[in-house]
Amino acid sequence: MSDAHNAQLDWDEHGQPLSRSYGDVYFSRANGLEETRHVFLAHNQIIERCQALPAGGRLVIGETGFGTGLNFLCAWQAFAEHAPRDARLHFVSVEKFPLTQTDLQRALALWPELAPYAEQLLAQYRAIHPGFQRLLLDGGRVVLTLMIGDVLECLPQLDARVDAWFLDGFAPAKNPEMWTDSLFTELARLSAPGATLATFTSAGFVRRGLIAAGFAVQRVKGFGHKREMLAGPFQAQQMQRTAPWFARPLPSTGARQAVVIGAGLAGCATAASLAARGWRVTLLERHDDVAREASGNPQGVLYLKLSAHGTALSRLIVAGFGLTRRLLERLQRGSDWDACGVLQLAFDAKEAERQNKLAAAFPDDLLHALTKDEAEARAGIGLPAGGLFYPDAGWVHPPALCRQLAQHPLIELRPYQEALSLSRQQERWCVEGQNGVLAEAPVLILACAAEIGRLLPEANLPLKRIRGQISRLPANESSSALRTVVCAEGYVAPARDDEHTLGASFDFHSDDLTPSVAEHAGNLELLREISQDLAERLDTQTLDPATLQGRAAFRCTSPDYLPLVGPLAAGQAFNQAYAVLAKDARQVPEMPCPWLAGLYINSGHGSRGLITAPLSGELIAAWLEDEPLPLPREVAEACHPNRFMLRQLIRGTGSPT
């Protein structure tokens, strides 16, 4: 796939962008800013709604056609100037052809008064790949969810309750595929009670279609030379149908306080997402500091194991990679992370075939094929083959990311606190340790990997531990030529603090975390498969594996390799409520799900927690706060902790795989 997924622009004599594909302007030539304020802000009463928001309240705006981001920046400016300080803005927008960063910068330079907002958007406008992409702005107070793709494919995947619609995009005459009854039906499905809609067009078929879908739109005075536009409230009754075991639990009514068990990536990310929404979070960690277990390696790799078939896991990875990549911009490049790129070698014919399919399925700026010569030039070392290159990826020092996530005045990290048992008393979760109660709160999030099985034995969650060992190799002048991460069966990263990280072994059977000489030897073997040249530069033939430093930790994974993220039902009550499924799996009983009130899980990230854990923190926050989900609904359901109970019931088996 080429860069055709980006907008192809021409610029007129006034420096304004025009779409080559649609032959249309992005905004009014007279005054784009005033047009946005007239059409979308005034006719959705955005300023009045911002002023009326309660403390901690939020406004959700939905948009078709993100374009240059002008409508978003105008809405953000109105929100910043008129909403309470602790309110939040969620802006959800679809864009089929996103602008490149260079084009976006050029377009937004036309509006100097929006510069403070545009600068923040541009700083986070990275890795905008197909699917859902979440950008956190103004310390998480403003959340932008971009859906990159066709509007009629993206909106059906969205789970949100939208308060105001900006029905934008190129004019109906230039872009007839978008302006359809299917679109209007989706807008209605996603509308919250009291939602409003405004659009610059007054075309008769648009007005009739919106009215048929439940919007009481009327023609009102347009902007500038445009005589008329459409605006009005949503007046129909809306029913979002979701199977009860995947429906949203009732929001917690108690104080906005949570306990998170486990200060690895999943726990720190969950704490960060909640704190950004005004929650007080107690972060319990049994070790002396954050990232002491699987999140503690010196270098983790942003390794995107994708599928050309649009699987739930593949969509989760593309969305998670984007969010993590944007978060890393806040860290110190060189010591905490580096976007040096990741090269996946086509080490055999089967892998080469898989890579060809991926190269055809994804845009070039996410991944592209390199010949052997190109790969060697990029990596700086001799290689056995070419492969796929991910230019935006690289390595991360996971403890630095954990520390950054956990640094918030509303997060209290409590080390040396090992949770031994849980109980629910008077609508609060109580976490007990060796010497009594460690913490209590209405909401509890378990982010302690496979230890969840010990704390919640009756849930019977199929989390398994896989031991992994990395080796640390002292860098030298010759090995410092390595410029990218290179992966085959294992991986090796460019030097950080004069050491290369090499790994990682997989062992399903060992419970011993003492680094073993045999696995150091195995890692050196992986290195020789990646690059005989680098192995020689590092003098591995004379290295005694017994002298190597390294560390071992348990990754935690699930049978379907997707994480477990979200609320959890009480097992026995679940089986009773939905017993009919054992006889007929197509039934959807009306019975509401018997939730373990206030309990959430964020676990099972395997070896890709760097990519999936931060996004999972956002997903937990969305479940808790009844916000737009940061992922397609079916991907969120594929990660739902209830999926194993459901499968077990349907298959009538004793094991929840």
Side-chain angles (χ1 to χ4, degrees):
M1 202 163 161
S2 69
D3 289 326
H5 91 116
N6 284 118
Q8 307 296 309
L9 301 190
D10 292 313
W11 300 83
D12 70 10
E13 67 278 13
H14 306 294
Q16 300 216 353
L18 317 168
S19 165
R20 210 174 296 161
S21 321
Y22 293 102
D24 200 1
V25 294
Y26 273 91
F27 34 70
S28 151
R29 288 202 167 106
N31 188 332
L33 213 51
E34 291 311 315
E35 179 184 40
T36 288
R37 288 173 179 152
H38 173 86
V39 175
F40 298 116
L41 269 56
H43 285 93
N44 279 302
Q45 300 90 45
I46 296 297
I47 289 177
E48 295 80 354
R49 280 171 150 173
C50 288
Q51 290 166 336
L53 281 173
R58 69 162 175 272
L59 180 66
V60 180
I61 297 175
E63 177 188 52
T64 55
F66 184 72
T68 61
L70 179 61
N71 297 340
F72 165 61
L73 295 175
C74 284
W76 180 4
Q77 180 185 42
F79 174 79
E81 290 173 1
H82 299 285
R85 186 62 219 147
D86 60 353
R88 291 189 319 285
L89 173 64
H90 270 269
F91 197 96
V92 183
S93 185
V94 186
E95 179 54 62
K96 190 171 186 177
F97 299 113
L99 270 66
T100 62
Q101 194 185 32
T102 313
D103 283 342
L104 187 68
Q105 192 161 8
R106 185 171 169 185
L108 293 179
L110 295 166
W111 321 112
E113 76 167 275
L114 295 175
Y117 307 102
E119 280 162 19
Q120 281 197 60
L121 173 62
L122 286 162
Q124 285 290 298
Y125 195 80
R126 309 223 177 299
I128 306 296
H129 301 304
F132 282 43
Q133 295 294 339
R134 174 155 284 194
L135 287 73
L136 306 176
L137 303 152
D138 193 13
R141 185 172 176 237
V142 174
V143 177
L144 170 61
T145 306
L146 286 177
M147 294 176 284
I148 305 301
D150 186 274
V151 66
L152 294 174
E153 289 170 18
C154 290
L155 282 184
Q157 303 178 36
L158 178 62
D159 185 318
R161 289 152 65 82
V162 174
D163 301 311
W165 286 105
F166 293 3
L167 183 45
D168 203 358
F170 297 112
K174 312 263 183 168
N175 183 19
E177 295 87 42
M178 183 187 105
W179 300 83
T180 60
D181 289 345
S182 308
L183 170 67
F184 308 144
T185 305
E186 281 301 317
L187 301 181
R189 177 184 71 83
L190 292 160
S191 290
T196 57
L197 177 144
T199 181
F200 61 87
T201 182
S202 61
F205 80 96
V206 173
R207 186 174 67 93
R208 290 188 294 276
L210 285 168
I211 289 171
F215 292 92
V217 290
Q218 294 180 322
R219 291 194 169 108
V220 292
K221 163 125 184 49
F223 175 74
H225 64 270
K226 286 189 183 159
R227 209 170 63 234
E228 294 177 317
M229 55 168 278
L230 299 171
F234 178 67
Q235 291 193 322
Q237 273 302 313
Q238 205 36 59
M239 288 295 290
Q240 285 217 27
R241 293 289 297 141
T242 306
W245 43 85
F246 291 145
R248 293 176 181 241
L250 288 171
S252 162
T253 49
R256 296 170 81 212
Q257 293 171 352
V259 175
V260 176
I261 299 180
L265 264 169
C268 291
T270 306
S273 288
L274 290 181
R277 288 156 175 83
W279 285 65
R280 283 195 172 284
V281 183
T282 306
L283 186 54
L284 300 179
E285 172 51 57
R286 61 183 178 175
H287 297 289
D288 63 335
D289 201 356
V290 300
R292 284 299 192 235
E293 296 197 22
S295 303
N297 285 346
Q299 286 172 299
V301 176
L302 293 173
Y303 181 79
L304 290 89
K305 192 129 198 227
L306 299 171
S307 155
H309 306 296
T311 60
L313 181 57
S314 203
R315 289 148 77 195
L316 171 70
I317 287 171
V318 176
F321 170 67
L323 180 69
T324 296
R325 183 63 187 73
R326 292 184 278 279
L327 287 174
L328 293 177
E329 292 290 327
R330 306 175 188 173
L331 298 179
Q332 192 60 47
R333 194 162 171 171
S335 59
D336 294 341
W337 75 289
D338 195 17
C340 58
V342 168
L343 177 64
Q344 285 177 8
L345 296 178
F347 49 83
D348 61 26
K350 194 173 161 200
E351 177 65 8
E353 188 186 346
R354 191 184 78 84
Q355 292 192 1
N356 287 337
K357 288 181 182 152
L358 288 177
F362 289 98
D364 284 359
D365 58 350
L366 177 60
L367 59 91
H368 52 263
L370 296 181
T371 63
K372 179 173 181 284
D373 288 350
E374 289 168 336
E376 289 181 331
R378 183 67 73 146
I381 57 169
L383 295 168
L388 276 187
F389 187 62
Y390 295 76
D392 248 345
W395 61 262
V396 184
H397 180 53
L401 180 55
C402 288
R403 277 194 286 274
Q404 212 272 339
L405 288 165
Q407 265 175 356
H408 191 287
L410 290 175
I411 299 174
E412 185 196 352
L413 172 67
R414 294 194 194 160
Y416 302 114
Q417 306 277 302
E418 182 162 19
L420 297 178
S421 65
L422 312 173
S423 59
R424 178 97 176 152
Q425 300 163 17
Q426 287 148 357
E427 303 198 357
R428 289 173 79 79
W429 282 99
C430 193
V431 183
E432 306 237 0
Q434 209 160 5
N435 303 319
V437 176
L438 299 179
E440 49 176 301
V443 168
L444 172 66
I445 296 114
L446 302 180
C448 47
E451 293 296 310
I452 291 175
R454 186 172 54 77
L455 292 171
L456 273 188
E458 64 287 354
N460 203 15
L461 293 172
L463 292 166
K464 54 178 190 266
R465 303 198 302 184
I466 307 173
R467 182 186 183 281
Q469 179 173 317
I470 57 112
S471 306
R472 292 159 49 184
L473 297 181
N476 58 40
E477 200 173 330
S478 173
S479 74
S480 298
L482 177 64
R483 285 204 302 275
T484 68
V485 176
V486 187
C487 310
E489 292 291 354
Y491 72 87
V492 62
R496 170 188 180 268
D497 285 354
D498 299 324
E499 281 185 335
H500 298 280
T501 303
L502 170 64
S505 61
F506 273 79
D507 185 339
F508 284 88
H509 307 294
S510 171
D511 274 349
D512 183 5
L513 286 182
T514 316
S516 87
V517 177
E519 291 196 34
H520 279 317
N523 282 343
L524 290 176
E525 208 41 59
L526 290 176
L527 174 62
R528 291 183 193 106
E529 286 167 21
I530 292 170
S531 169
Q532 190 60 44
D533 175 30
L534 184 61
E536 285 167 15
R537 289 169 188 252
L538 286 161
D539 297 326
T540 57
Q541 58 279 28
T542 59
L543 258 183
D544 177 359
T547 63
L548 285 180
Q549 297 289 306
R551 72 191 295 275
F554 293 120
R555 313 174 186 88
C556 171
T557 183
S558 73
D560 58 12
Y561 299 106
L562 281 154
L564 279 74
V565 186
L568 183 69
Q572 245 177 325
F574 184 93
N575 290 340
Q576 286 164 354
Y578 305 125
V580 62
L581 293 176
K583 297 186 185 69
D584 179 1
R586 289 164 310 200
Q587 293 277 337
V588 182
E590 290 290 302
M591 184 94 58
C593 186
W595 298 107
L596 286 168
L599 183 95
Y600 291 76
I601 285 179
N602 188 353
S603 178
H605 295 277
S607 50
R608 45 175 94 79
L610 274 171
I611 283 176
T612 55
L615 185 61
S616 296
E618 283 294 287
L619 182 53
I620 296 269
W623 282 119
L624 267 168
E625 291 266 306
D626 200 19
E627 291 175 358
L629 297 186
L631 279 164
R633 165 47 91 164
E634 63 183 51
V635 179
E637 290 180 2
C639 297
H640 202 295
N642 282 354
R643 69 188 186 267
F644 297 107
M645 278 183 225
L646 189 63
R647 286 173 203 170
Q648 206 174 337
L649 196 55
I650 289 170
R651 292 176 190 167
T653 57
S655 72
T657 48

